[in-house]
Amino acid sequence: MAAENKPVEVEKELTEIRKEVIEARNLVIKTDNLLKNLHAEVKAVGKRHEDFQKRQWISSGVAYALFAVLAVGGALMIASARTSTAGAERERLEKSVADLTSQLEKQRAELSANLNAQRAAADVYKLMTTLPGDERLKGIDALVKLDTSRLSVLERQALNDRATLLRKEIGDAAFERGKAAFRRNDMRAATDELSRFMAMNPTEADALDAAFFLGAAYNSIGQHDKATPLLARFVDGDRKSKTRDYAMVLLSHSYQETHQLDKALATIRDALANYPASQYLGAMKARLNSAKRQQAGPEAAAAPAVPAPAAAAPAPAAPQPAAPAPAAPAPAPAPAPAN
């Protein structure tokens, strides 16, 4: 029994050994397969790693190339910008230098002009202060030509004040000489002196008085075109003057002589209406009749051939007595000094 059991146990053990061998063989095969699969996977991973390295190298090279291109482009742009900025800055500085140079030249020119104007102003002031008598008027003539815009306010004021005082001083003297010549019946001298006075921009009151004397003087010497505006200024400007009636007679005469018959008739009619008791009433009526005859035309003037000269003769002469008649007007200008 024991002998029979041993072969069975051995057989059983052999069977188990075979089974283990088979399992071991299967395990070896399985392990080999796993190793082969692992080798294949390792190989694939290595290949993928190589591909990845290649791609990384390529991308790195491209990145470096792009970076280099960008760096070069940026450097070029920066250099170009700096160059353009430097060019613009240079142009700006050149323009600034040119502007400053022009301003400097302009300031030099203005300074030179101001110095010249100041020297000229000093010369003008000397002319108005150092020259004798009426020669000081040369200073006023020079002041008119002087460019006072380059002078200071104080300098302009000093020149203008001196010119005003000089005009008043010399103008008053010329005015008095003109009135004295008028009273002497020296009408040429009166017109010269009174014209000088009127050229000095007198006050309105003095200008009206001078307009009367100067207009009467021009009327007396037959320069009616010059007498008309002066007498008209006096008649319109001083309606309260005691010599206004006489001035209206002279103005009507000058209007008539300059063929302004409507104005002559209007003036003499206004005189008759405002001064019915004037000492020049006869001269007014004679002037009215003369103007009417002249307005009527040559036929009306020729009709009364004989009486016309008799009536007309006194007409031009009517103002003539006025030369001595300034006995009446002459006292009248006395209000001028009063003013």
Side-chain angles (χ1 to χ4, degrees), residues 99-115:
D99 292 341
L100 291 174
T101 303
S102 63
Q103 290 179 4
L104 181 60
E105 293 297 331
K106 184 177 179 181
Q107 289 178 356
R108 287 177 179 173
E110 289 182 355
L111 180 60
S112 177
N114 291 337
L115 292 176

Side-chain angles (χ1 to χ4, degrees), residues 226-308:
K226 296 180 179 179
T228 300
L230 295 166
L231 292 172
R233 179 180 180 181
F234 175 77
V235 169
D236 295 336
D238 192 356
R239 296 182 177 275
K240 296 181 180 180
S241 174
K242 295 180 181 180
T243 57
R244 187 169 183 267
D245 52 349
Y246 178 58
M248 295 179 78
V249 174
L250 297 181
L251 178 59
S252 177
H253 180 211
S254 294
Y255 276 143
Q256 187 177 352
E257 292 297 327
T258 55
H259 305 289
Q260 303 180 61
L261 299 179
D262 293 337
K263 291 184 178 181
L265 288 171
T267 301
I268 203 63
R269 285 169 179 162
D270 187 19
L272 288 170
N274 289 313
Y275 305 101
S278 172
Q279 60 178 326
Y280 302 109
L281 184 62
M284 292 179 185
K285 292 180 179 179
R287 182 59 52 205
L288 178 64
N289 294 331
S290 176
K292 285 181 178 179
R293 285 195 301 272
Q294 186 174 352
Q295 189 181 41
E299 297 80 1
V306 177

